[in-house]
Amino acid sequence: MNFSNYRITLDVQKSKTQASIPVHYKDTGNRLYITLTDGGNPYIIPDGCRVVLVANRPNPEINPPLVNDCIIENNAVVRYDFNKNTASVEGMHKCELRIIGSNNELITTPLFLMVVDQRVVYDDVIADDEDVAALTALGIIASEEARVRAETLREFAETRRDEA
């Protein structure tokens, strides 16, 4: 199977979130290529460095951070290969790269977001009877109905908060 490749660029001199990538729940056939710049110029990762992807996942009291080594290609591009834990939690993951030098010097990149979404059935899709039977057997319709209920409750709570 060929990998699906995401490509983003992060400027190590900037501090705001710089990219967002949509990821399907439990996908493992993805690679993320990150090109680093330093004030708009290419950032060259010195030999002997290690790069680690750190992702704070939703509900940190339940879901520990994701911490995985990356591959440095040609001292210029960081490659992260998704694994079974990368997209195992739905929601917004706040991610960063940590470049660790041979003497434990540290450079941390700005944040980027990985938005993991498990929705397969969307509100505007009308399925035929065979599709409904298959989706029901997989439990997808029940999870989508739960998502819609949760979103309705969230919107109600948000309205109440705004009124208060």
Side-chain angles (χ1 to χ4, degrees), residues 89-138:
V89 176
E90 185 180 21
M92 189 180 321
H93 302 233
K94 294 179 182 176
C95 306
E96 65 188 17
L97 296 181
R98 294 184 183 168
I99 305 166
I100 305 162
S102 57
N103 293 326
N104 289 326
E105 307 96 346
L106 175 67
I107 294 177
T108 304
T109 68
L111 291 178
F112 63 95
L113 302 176
M114 187 182 327
V115 183
V116 179
D117 188 0
Q118 71 176 349
R119 294 187 301 157
V120 174
V121 180
Y122 292 87
D123 297 335
D124 59 348
V125 175
I126 299 174
D128 65 22
D129 290 340
E130 282 184 2
D131 292 338
V132 170
L135 295 172
T136 300
L138 292 172

Side-chain angles (χ1 to χ4, degrees), residues 39-104:
N41 298 311
Y43 179 84
I44 304 301
I45 302 168
D47 288 332
C49 286
R50 177 178 170 220
V51 179
V52 177
L53 177 130
V54 178
N56 287 326
R57 304 191 293 179
N59 302 317
E61 60 281 350
I62 300 170
N63 304 306
L66 180 70
V67 180
N68 291 135
D69 281 309
C70 298
I71 297 166
I72 302 168
E73 296 185 347
N74 300 321
N75 293 83
V77 177
V78 176
R79 187 182 93 202
Y80 174 70
D81 295 339
F82 283 45
N83 61 42
K84 67 178 184 169
N85 294 319
T86 304
S88 64
V89 176
E90 185 180 21
M92 189 180 321
H93 302 233
K94 294 179 182 176
C95 306
E96 65 188 17
L97 296 181
R98 294 184 183 168
I99 305 166
I100 305 162
S102 57
N103 293 326
N104 289 326

